[in-house]
Amino acid sequence: MAGPGDEMSTAGRGRLRASHADREQVIDALKAAFVQGLLTKDELDARAGQAFASRTYAELAAVTTGIPAGPAPAQPLREPARAQARPPENEAVDSSQNKVVNACAGAAATALALYLAFYAFHAGNFGLLFAVLLAIAGAWSVAGIRMISSLREKRSRGSGCR
């Protein structure tokens, strides 16, 4: 439906090609005019045919001339946007900070274990030395397994379908 400022807006782009969405918008306006009693069924059919045949904005503007500007056609209701799920709390912390803390804790534990091993060796307590060395080997094995599984998990999450 033509409004007071529509002639000026179509004058600047009158020779530009109209899109399918533009034609659909004009047809929606024609339907609204028909529902409001501003057009007869025959006028609606004729103008809708013109709208489908229109290629430029000027041709589309001609389809709605003579129709008084009424209330805008009701826009279809959209579905509300879904809330995005937040990541679990343990993933919210920066993983680089976790890596630094884990590395420092591992280095401190290793240093302490090596000190105990050195002490046990010089004290002649080979049972304690064996237990400390076994604990170091076990801790580093667990850390290595966790690193490998973490890398595999990251690769499987980021790969998608290959």
Side-chain angles (χ1 to χ4, degrees), residues 137-160:
W140 282 103
S141 297
V142 169
I145 291 170
R146 288 187 64 193
M147 272 192 340
I148 291 170
S149 67
S150 174
L151 287 173
R152 285 184 181 164
E153 183 180 329
K154 285 181 184 177
R155 285 183 185 161
S156 67
R157 259 190 280 148
S159 66

Side-chain angles (χ1 to χ4, degrees), residues 93-114:
V93 178
D94 188 19
S95 64
S96 62
Q97 290 176 347
N98 286 340
K99 289 177 185 176
V100 169
V101 169
N102 288 340
C104 290
T110 302
L112 178 63
L114 287 176

Side-chain angles (χ1 to χ4, degrees), residues 6 13 23 32 41 64 118 138:
D6 290 345
R13 40 179 213 169
R23 285 187 283 280
K41 174 73 172 138
T64 57
F118 181 74

